[in-house]
Amino acid sequence: MPLTDMPDFAGTILQEFVSRGTTRVDTPVIQPAAPFLDMAGEDLRRRIFLTENERGESLCLRPEFTIPVCLRHIETATGTPKRYAYLGEVFRQRREGPQEFYQAGIEDLGDIAVAASDARAISDSVAILTRLLPTKPLVVTLGDQSVFEAVVKALGLPAGWQKRLIQAFGNPDQIDQLLRRLATPTPVPGLDPEVSALLASGDQNALIAHIDATMQETGYLTNASRTPAEIARRLKEKLELSETRLDGAALLLLREFLSLELPLGDASAALAGFADAAGLKLGSALTRFDERVAALASTGVDLDLITYRAAFGRPLDYYTGLVFEVAVKGKPAVLAGGGRFDRLLTLLGAETHIPAVGFSLWLDRIETERSAS
């Protein structure tokens, strides 16, 4: 597909968007880089095309639409709920395929009916792809970061370890490395013996005083980005993380959870059974999961098309709950993907909490599939 040409099925996608009551928006190709660098995740950060303006401000070519659409919503002070649709080019370094390609999608902002809007995102993406690829059997892979977070919290890990595991959600290699470290703790390397002794004593004031004196003696104080109290707190946290050990039974439970993979119609019972057998209280996370399954069933989506994988995530840090991808059965290419990002708008500067969910369509991959026999 020539990079300068809009895909020939773009009009069909726009018709689908209009029929779903969306407002089409466009956003500048040149974007401030900071929101993507801070919130999009390591995978996307490595693929962004960066530049600077004459004032030294970091800019980038638009690598995706979710953050720009959310920023536009905040800047225009538009009320919610609001359904935005977009279709345009994004620019991203990719292992395969062109680095400039078309994406389209819907961002659903401010709908407090979480289960219904989650279900709508999945059903809309499946319906649009079904229209574009009427002879192709589609499959959906679904994960839920909030269920994983509930399991991690129920195990009673320190907050620092919870944060590390949650940030690694969806990255099997990174999760495995973290679990190995939890099984066999390692000491913090390179600590000064006096600092180690003060950390072991638990005397926070003495530790801060020692760090302050050291900074004064070395002249580091004038260039320090952190105060002695902040450095002491970080050292204490690193020590706690290094000394934390998850017992064998808890590690087995976490690995058992991450191995769950089954048809979505069976997932609610399986998760409830896992929680009961493990003695874990997962509370509202399971309730929301069950509500989403029921909402999906009411949309008419065939639940047999959807597989729940407990370890499945998508490589964007701003997701908070549902994550999903749609592909042709037996094919590796992801044609659509999305999820829930309830914290993103607040992080971007919204004055009130705005729940949000959305999905994107990869038009070059859809074109390849349309051309295939």
Side-chain angles (χ1 to χ4, degrees):
M1 180 174 64
L3 294 178
T4 55
D5 293 345
M6 188 72 77
D8 61 6
F9 52 88
T12 301
I13 292 176
L14 293 177
Q15 290 172 10
E16 291 286 333
F17 289 167
V18 169
S19 72
R20 287 166 169 78
T22 63
T23 299
R24 186 180 175 188
V25 294
D26 198 7
T27 61
V29 168
I30 303 295
Q31 291 282 324
F36 300 98
L37 297 175
D38 294 342
M39 302 172 201
E42 181 61 31
D43 185 72
L44 187 62
R45 283 195 291 269
R46 289 187 287 106
R47 302 172 187 274
I48 291 174
F49 291 101
L50 290 167
T51 186
E52 270 188 5
N53 63 17
E54 60 184 11
R55 297 185 298 276
E57 298 166 337
S58 293
L59 304 171
C60 67
L61 294 174
R62 181 177 61 205
E64 55 106 67
F65 272 94
T66 299
I67 287 175
V69 169
C70 290
L71 285 170
R72 184 185 184 280
H73 175 81
I74 294 167
E75 290 164 1
T76 56
T78 307
T80 58
K82 190 78 173 181
R83 300 198 82 200
Y84 293 107
Y86 59 83
L87 192 159
E89 288 170 296
V90 294
F91 307 83
R92 190 186 306 177
Q93 300 179 58
R94 295 202 290 181
R95 298 181 186 91
E96 297 178 4
Q99 299 181 83
E100 175 185 358
F101 53 100
Y102 286 95
Q103 276 193 341
I106 293 176
E107 308 296 358
D108 205 335
L109 309 184
D111 191 338
I112 61 174
V114 171
S117 54
D118 280 359
R120 185 166 58 234
I122 297 169
S123 62
D124 282 354
S125 61
V126 170
I128 294 169
L129 286 172
T130 299
R131 182 173 176 187
L132 297 174
L133 302 167
T135 65
K136 306 284 185 174
L138 300 175
V139 291
V140 181
T141 303
L142 183 148
D144 191 327
Q145 182 167 320
S146 62
V147 174
F148 177 67
E149 289 184 16
V151 171
V152 169
K153 290 175 182 176
L155 290 173
L157 284 166
W161 266 111
Q162 291 184 31
K163 183 178 179 181
R164 287 187 180 191
L165 287 165
I166 290 165
Q167 286 179 334
F169 179 68
N171 185 327
D173 292 339
Q174 193 176 353
I175 286 281
D176 187 61
Q177 290 175 12
L178 291 173
L179 293 184
R180 290 176 186 274
R181 288 183 60 184
L182 277 169
T184 54
T186 55
V188 178
L191 276 184
D192 177 87
E194 190 169 354
V195 170
S196 295
L198 288 168
L199 281 167
S201 73
D203 189 338
Q204 187 81 347
N205 291 332
L207 176 61
I208 293 170
H210 174 75
I211 293 170
D212 186 33
T214 302
M215 292 170 72
Q216 296 279 2
E217 290 169 7
T218 59
Y220 181 70
L221 186 63
T222 57
N223 298 314
S225 59
R226 294 192 182 97
T227 66
E230 289 172 331
I231 294 172
R233 186 171 62 251
R234 289 288 296 273
L235 284 170
K236 184 179 178 183
E237 181 183 88
K238 286 181 70 173
L239 184 66
E240 288 175 348
L241 292 176
S242 71
E243 292 178 342
T244 300
R245 184 180 187 279
L246 200 58
D247 66 60
L251 276 168
L252 284 174
L253 281 176
L254 197 47
R255 290 191 182 279
E256 179 187 347
F257 169 76
L258 291 168
S259 71
L260 290 175
E261 181 171 348
L262 65 167
L264 183 62
D266 301 329
S268 290
L271 286 171
F274 165 81
D276 288 344
L280 300 178
K281 297 186 183 299
L282 305 184
S284 59
L286 290 191
T287 301
R288 289 192 299 268
F289 189 95
D290 295 346
E291 290 172 347
R292 185 193 302 126
V293 173
L296 267 168
S298 70
T299 67
V301 172
D302 184 355
L303 296 187
D304 290 339
L305 299 177
I306 306 176
T307 297
Y308 168 67
R309 279 176 44 204
F312 175 73
R314 303 193 69 238
L316 289 167
D317 283 356
Y318 52 63
Y319 286 125
T320 56
L322 165 75
V323 282
F324 71 95
E325 291 179 347
V326 189
V328 171
K329 187 176 182 178
K331 302 286 187 69
V334 175
L335 306 182
R340 177 158 289 278
F341 45 99
D342 285 343
R343 290 191 289 264
L344 180 59
L345 281 104
T346 304
L347 293 172
L348 291 172
E351 294 181 357
T352 59
H353 171 70
I354 301 175
V357 66
F359 67 91
S360 296
L361 303 163
W362 279 263
L363 273 58
D364 60 330
R365 298 173 184 173
I366 296 170
E367 177 68 12
T368 299
E369 198 58 49
R370 282 166 64 90
S371 302
S373 57

